[in-house]
Amino acid sequence: MPQNLDAVAVRAWCRLTLDALGRAREEIDSINVYPVADGDTGTNLYLTVESASQAVDAAFTGHEPALPSLAETVRAMAHGALIGARGNSGTILSQLLRGMAQVMGGPEGGPEGEPGREADHVDGRTLALALRRAADLAYQAVAHPVEGTVLTVASAAARAAADADGDCGAVARAAYEGACAALEATPGQLAVLGRAGVVDAGGRGLVAVLGALVGVLSGATVVLKGAEGGHARVEAVECEDLQADTGGPAFEVIYLLEADDTAVARLRNRLDRLGDSLVVVGGDGLWNVHVHVDDAGAAVEAGVEAGRPHRIRITHFGAGDAHATAQPPRERTQRAIVAVVPGEGLAGLYGEAGATIVPARAGEPPASGELVDAIRRAHAHEVVLLPNDGELRHTAAAAAEQARTEGVRVALIPTRSAVQGIAALAVHEPERRFDEDVVAMTSAAGATRYGELAVAERQSWTMAGICQAGDVLGLIDGDVAVIGSEVAPTAVSVLDRMLSAGGEMVTLVLGDDVPETVAEHLEKHVREAYLAVDTVVYRGGRQSALMLIGVE
């Protein structure tokens, strides 16, 4: 059966790309030496795709119970990437996605009358045209294109796609293979990469993006060629030495700009005289401007003269962010806790312990930007971040990395459940040295097994067998261990399994739908069956899980 690309596949592509960049973020950051060795390319690409993925999710939510069209989906993807683009690499990636959207979403900017494009999907030939358009637009967006960068990799992917025959799966695979080959050649094209013994970081990110596309269309897991032992990561890079060697401008300036095409053309010329690494992407009245300059004020002033700049971000290389504010900063506290918390009841519990709360809404995991904002609200020199969800590990890592560039010392404790976060909070002592406090909190969280009760939404295969819609599922450490028909006996079974390995304390967090009699039954069961084990019960409140269980 031919593999074609439709709206659902584009959504899956965004999500798989986000996961791939999350896993590769630190590696990509570590090989970031061009145009500035500031070690943030992986993080910037992740944040850009996160914004694109959120825009696509919003498009799907807005059309429920129907689905958005392919055109609406790819335009949402491109717009989300545009407004969320971070850094040089993210800005170029947003333009690549815009180029693909113009062809796949036609007729806006796309070739009219091209065969192979239908209302609900595109075929292999159209995907190849989209990749070609993407590469061309990216080259046009960069004031002075340099070979050996993501531009080279994008162009190679487009050429390989054009030579491929078959459906979208075959074209995507060809593009990925072409990108891999081009990536391996980048150290020989750009001297700074050759000296560092690494491939281009932006190109490495694009390979991850294309690998995710292959994965969506084929169902296979794609592993980057050369990622282990090859050029993709030959050795760690000493960014400070490379930065000193480049001697480039002192500031990175990024802003969104509302302006017409004529004003943007003048802006390009003016910014090109002010600095380097100039990339201007977008269109239809909304643009994303990126440039490296010594005079950040002049770069912003040029935007004001061209139109209406907003979301202005100024970064001094090696010195964190400068958000263009004349207000004196209020004094920071020494240490704070930032936690993602499901349910109003738990939010109150965490808040009483002094934590800054990020609400976890069902089906809407917080974005890294929300976590960064919470870290800023905490206004501390040192922050301990508790994601309380295994699915948030990449999001939390990106937020921590961003906060570190702003001068905050952040420790990420990989809590996978709110009950592990409660255990960590219980041993938190702000008077201790930061490292000692983090070790104690990490140990307490790691020593807490976590369980959860949930209701199955549909028939499905699980580790415990086949469940039907409406069944009560008992999960232990993230895997389904028990399938039951009622809450209380399922919870007892989960508790018994968790306590079979020992334990001193049981924590129960009950959702609004769980009656008090269930809590009393479970407390009685633990008291009678496990004499040395104490039980603590909390109410999770609205938006919480049916039941969370912790065993320490």
Side-chain angles (χ1 to χ4, degrees):
M1 181 177 178
Q3 296 171 331
N4 294 317
L5 196 57
D6 60 12
V8 173
V10 169
R11 187 186 199 186
W13 178 32
C14 288
R15 291 180 171 181
L16 193 60
T17 298
L18 194 61
D19 183 67
L21 288 173
R23 286 183 278 108
R25 180 186 60 80
E26 290 185 357
E27 175 199 331
I28 296 173
D29 282 348
S30 74
I31 62 173
N32 173 202
V33 301
Y34 181 85
V36 175
D38 49 355
D40 63 358
T41 292
T43 300
N44 287 338
L45 289 170
Y46 179 89
L47 295 173
T48 302
V49 174
E50 181 183 56
S51 180
S53 183
Q54 288 174 339
V56 170
D57 285 344
F60 271 75
T61 300
H63 282 79
E64 289 179 346
L67 295 175
S69 68
L70 174 63
E72 291 168 327
T73 303
V74 294
R75 288 171 190 165
M77 173 184 70
H79 181 74
L82 174 67
I83 64 175
R86 300 290 290 271
N88 186 74
S89 54
T91 306
I92 292 174
L93 177 60
S94 74
Q95 190 75 337
L96 289 168
L97 295 179
R98 177 178 174 82
M100 294 187 70
Q102 287 183 349
V103 175
M104 293 168 60
E108 179 191 327
E112 297 183 359
E114 287 289 354
R117 186 182 67 80
E118 298 179 7
D120 60 347
H121 70 270
V122 296
D123 60 11
R125 183 166 183 267
T126 308
L127 177 58
L129 291 172
L131 290 168
R132 179 71 270 163
R133 176 65 173 162
D136 291 344
L137 271 192
Y139 267 93
Q140 294 169 18
V142 178
H144 301 284
V146 175
E147 296 304 324
T149 64
V150 63
L151 299 176
T152 307
V153 176
S155 185
R159 287 195 301 272
D163 293 338
D165 292 321
D167 58 17
C168 283
V171 170
R173 170 65 70 172
Y176 170 76
E177 296 283 352
C180 285
L183 179 68
E184 288 299 311
T186 55
Q189 296 173 298
L190 198 55
V192 66
L193 300 179
R195 289 195 299 270
V198 297
V199 296
D200 178 66
R204 166 66 178 91
L206 180 58
V207 166
V209 173
L210 294 173
L213 181 59
V214 174
V216 166
L217 292 169
S218 68
T221 301
V222 178
V223 179
L224 173 66
K225 291 182 176 181
E228 298 297 334
H231 271 131
R233 190 173 187 176
V234 174
E235 58 185 66
V237 178
E238 294 296 334
C239 292
E240 291 183 2
D241 293 342
L242 288 166
Q243 173 66 29
D245 189 46
T246 61
F251 296 97
E252 177 184 59
V253 178
I254 306 174
Y255 49 81
L256 290 179
L257 177 70
E258 296 176 17
D260 59 37
D261 291 3
T262 302
V264 169
R266 293 195 298 268
L267 175 66
R268 287 178 190 268
N269 290 332
R270 181 169 178 182
L271 292 179
D272 193 29
R273 295 193 297 269
L274 284 175
D276 59 28
S277 297
L278 173 61
V279 184
V280 181
V281 302
D284 303 318
L286 181 63
W287 308 81
N288 190 306
V289 178
H290 170 280
V291 67
H292 294 175
V293 293
D294 282 318
D295 189 344
V300 175
E301 181 183 347
V304 172
E305 293 180 3
R308 188 178 80 86
H310 51 105
R311 293 196 186 183
I312 300 169
R313 186 175 191 84
I314 301 171
T315 303
H316 185 276
F317 292 121
D321 286 349
H323 287 283
T325 175
Q327 300 177 356
R330 60 187 175 90
E331 186 176 350
R332 292 180 180 270
T333 59
Q334 183 58 35
R335 189 175 309 162
I337 308 294
V338 172
V340 180
V341 182
E344 296 174 350
L346 278 183
L349 176 65
Y350 273 77
E352 290 174 4
T356 299
I357 306 303
V358 180
R361 301 168 293 274
E364 297 180 35
S368 59
E370 292 180 69
L371 301 186
V372 173
D373 287 342
I375 292 171
R376 290 171 181 155
R377 291 200 313 272
H379 205 65
H381 293 289
E382 303 165 339
V383 170
V384 178
L385 180 57
L386 305 174
N388 291 338
D389 185 342
E391 297 298 318
L392 290 179
R393 61 192 186 280
H394 298 319
T395 301
E401 188 66 29
Q402 175 60 36
R404 290 181 189 118
T405 69
E406 299 177 12
V408 182
R409 188 181 184 188
V410 182
L412 171 60
I413 297 179
T415 49
R416 304 174 71 85
S417 171
V419 291
Q420 289 187 321
I422 291 172
L425 276 177
V427 301
H428 168 53
E429 292 185 14
E431 294 79 16
R432 275 192 299 223
R433 291 179 55 246
F434 185 63
D435 292 340
E436 293 175 353
D437 199 28
V438 170
V439 168
M441 295 177 71
T442 302
S443 298
T448 302
R449 299 190 69 196
Y450 63 97
E452 179 179 347
L453 262 60
V455 177
E457 297 180 356
R458 57 186 176 276
Q459 185 186 65
S460 180
W461 288 90
T462 75
M463 296 287 288
I466 301 175
C467 69
Q468 305 296 328
D471 282 347
V472 180
L473 306 180
L475 294 84
I476 299 176
D477 295 339
D479 293 323
V480 176
V482 180
I483 300 174
S485 58
E486 297 181 8
V487 171
T490 304
V492 167
S493 182
V494 170
L495 274 170
D496 287 342
R497 292 187 182 215
M498 295 178 71
L499 286 168
S500 66
E504 299 175 356
M505 170 75 75
V506 169
T507 301
L508 301 175
V509 181
L510 309 182
D512 274 355
D513 296 333
V514 179
E516 197 64 37
T517 53
V518 172
E520 294 170 356
H521 176 70
L522 296 178
E523 285 186 279
K524 181 180 179 182
H525 174 74
V526 173
R527 186 168 58 249
E528 294 178 350
Y530 306 95
L531 299 180
V533 178
D534 295 323
T535 304
V536 180
V537 179
Y538 301 107
R539 278 289 175 180
R542 291 190 303 166
Q543 298 292 325
S544 67
L546 181 62
M547 185 184 299
L548 298 177
I549 303 172
V551 173
E552 301 176 48

